[in-house]
Amino acid sequence: MRNGLRFGWELGGSGWARCRIADGTSEHEDIVSYCTDALADLLHGVAGLYGPAGVQRFSFDLEPAEARWVLRGDGSEVGITIYRFADMSASFDAPDQEGSPVWSSTQPRVLLSHVVLEAAQSVLRLHGEDGYLAEWVQHPFPVAAVQDLRRLHLRHDGCEREHDMALP
């Protein structure tokens, strides 16, 4: 379904974040660990949709499971599939099909980029850079990744939604 895409990223204690994605049909939620720079990986993955590579992959460590996001860009549309693997230490290089698909949707790139950017900026507004680092512990807030995605999104998508330009 193409309407009602929602995305959220909420810090939830030292080294953990709640990641939620939903469309008008279904939703998916994971509790993500700081063992990877997860928010930066997400932002870079979505920003990668503006380049020549048609597929972007990134993984979240769920300790011990892996949530692998596969974004397939096709013009202005993005197929989003999230695969779950039982053990990230054993699955990191495994083919996607060895995982179990747990959520999928096709959405306009403009909408996916916008909701991910909006969620990252909401985290920054709520916690600030220092507060984010205190909560996330291993990695600083990905300011450059937010700036890069926002620049690409505004340049290539012609998004008519409101954007918070006061944040980095």
Side-chain angles (χ1 to χ4, degrees):
M1 176 163 266
R2 296 172 46 97
N3 57 9
L5 184 66
R6 296 180 320 275
F7 180 79
W9 190 272
E10 302 166 16
L11 298 181
S14 183
W16 295 98
R18 180 181 309 268
C19 174
R20 294 182 183 145
I21 189 164
D23 61 14
T25 303
S26 63
E27 65 182 71
H28 179 75
E29 177 179 307
D30 280 316
I31 305 298
V32 178
S33 165
Y34 69 164
C35 290
T36 63
D37 196 357
L39 183 56
D41 293 343
L42 168 71
L43 291 161
H44 289 301
V46 174
L49 293 169
Y50 295 90
V55 178
Q56 297 294 315
R57 285 180 176 78
F58 51 90
S59 293
F60 298 147
D61 191 340
L62 310 180
E63 291 189 41
E66 173 188 357
R68 181 181 304 167
W69 287 48
V70 180
L71 308 178
R72 296 184 187 284
D74 184 15
S76 63
E77 299 291 311
V78 178
I80 307 160
T81 305
I82 302 172
Y83 296 91
R84 188 171 188 100
F85 296 83
D87 184 353
M88 187 161 184
S89 67
S91 65
F92 194 72
D93 290 325
D96 299 336
Q97 60 269 21
E98 288 186 16
S100 300
V102 293
W103 192 85
S104 65
S105 185
T106 299
Q107 297 291 328
R109 181 184 68 192
V110 62
L111 185 54
L112 175 62
S113 295
H114 189 88
V115 298
V116 167
L117 184 60
E118 195 173 67
Q121 289 180 315
S122 177
V123 169
L124 183 58
R125 270 192 303 277
L126 182 61
H127 298 281
E129 289 184 61
D130 292 339
Y132 180 88
L133 184 57
E135 287 283 323
W136 195 240
V137 183
Q138 294 289 339
H139 308 278
F141 184 81
V143 172
V146 167
Q147 292 171 336
D148 191 40
L149 178 56
R150 183 177 50 223
R151 177 183 54 79
L152 291 165
H153 171 61
L154 292 174
R155 178 183 299 160
H156 297 286
D157 289 332
C159 184
E160 296 179 4
R161 294 173 174 228
E162 187 173 326
H163 292 83
D164 187 349
M165 302 303 285
L167 294 174

